[in-house]
Amino acid sequence: MMKKLKIKLIVDLPIDAKHGAIKGAEFEVTSVSVRRQKLHYFIGKTGEECGAFPREFEIIQD
């Protein structure tokens, strides 16, 4: 089974605060875009899909 990829934000994302996408927050990646500069998608605190660019996060190990 494939291991889930997790990211930790290193900046506050420029999206609505309700998503909880602030520096230090950790999320499980749901998919990665091959087109849009490797945008990594995750589910925010509201249950909506959000995205972060590689410069905005670091990958964390379980």
Side-chain angles (χ1 to χ4, degrees):
M1 192 171 131
M2 199 174 105
K3 217 167 102 90
K4 291 284 186 185
L5 183 65
K6 288 181 83 175
I7 60 172
K8 180 177 181 178
L9 299 179
I10 56 174
V11 295
D12 294 347
L13 296 187
I15 60 175
D16 197 308
K18 69 182 180 183
H19 299 296
I22 58 171
K23 184 177 180 176
E26 297 179 6
F27 297 98
E28 195 170 278
V29 174
T30 55
S31 65
V32 179
S33 171
V34 291
R35 288 200 175 92
R36 298 200 50 209
Q37 304 173 4
K38 301 287 186 225
L39 192 60
H40 285 55
Y41 294 100
F42 59 90
I43 303 301
K45 297 242 186 289
T46 61
E48 295 173 76
E49 189 173 64
C50 304
F53 291 107
R55 67 179 179 275
E56 298 172 323
F57 64 83
E58 57 190 20
I59 293 172
I60 55 175
Q61 306 299 323
D62 279 342

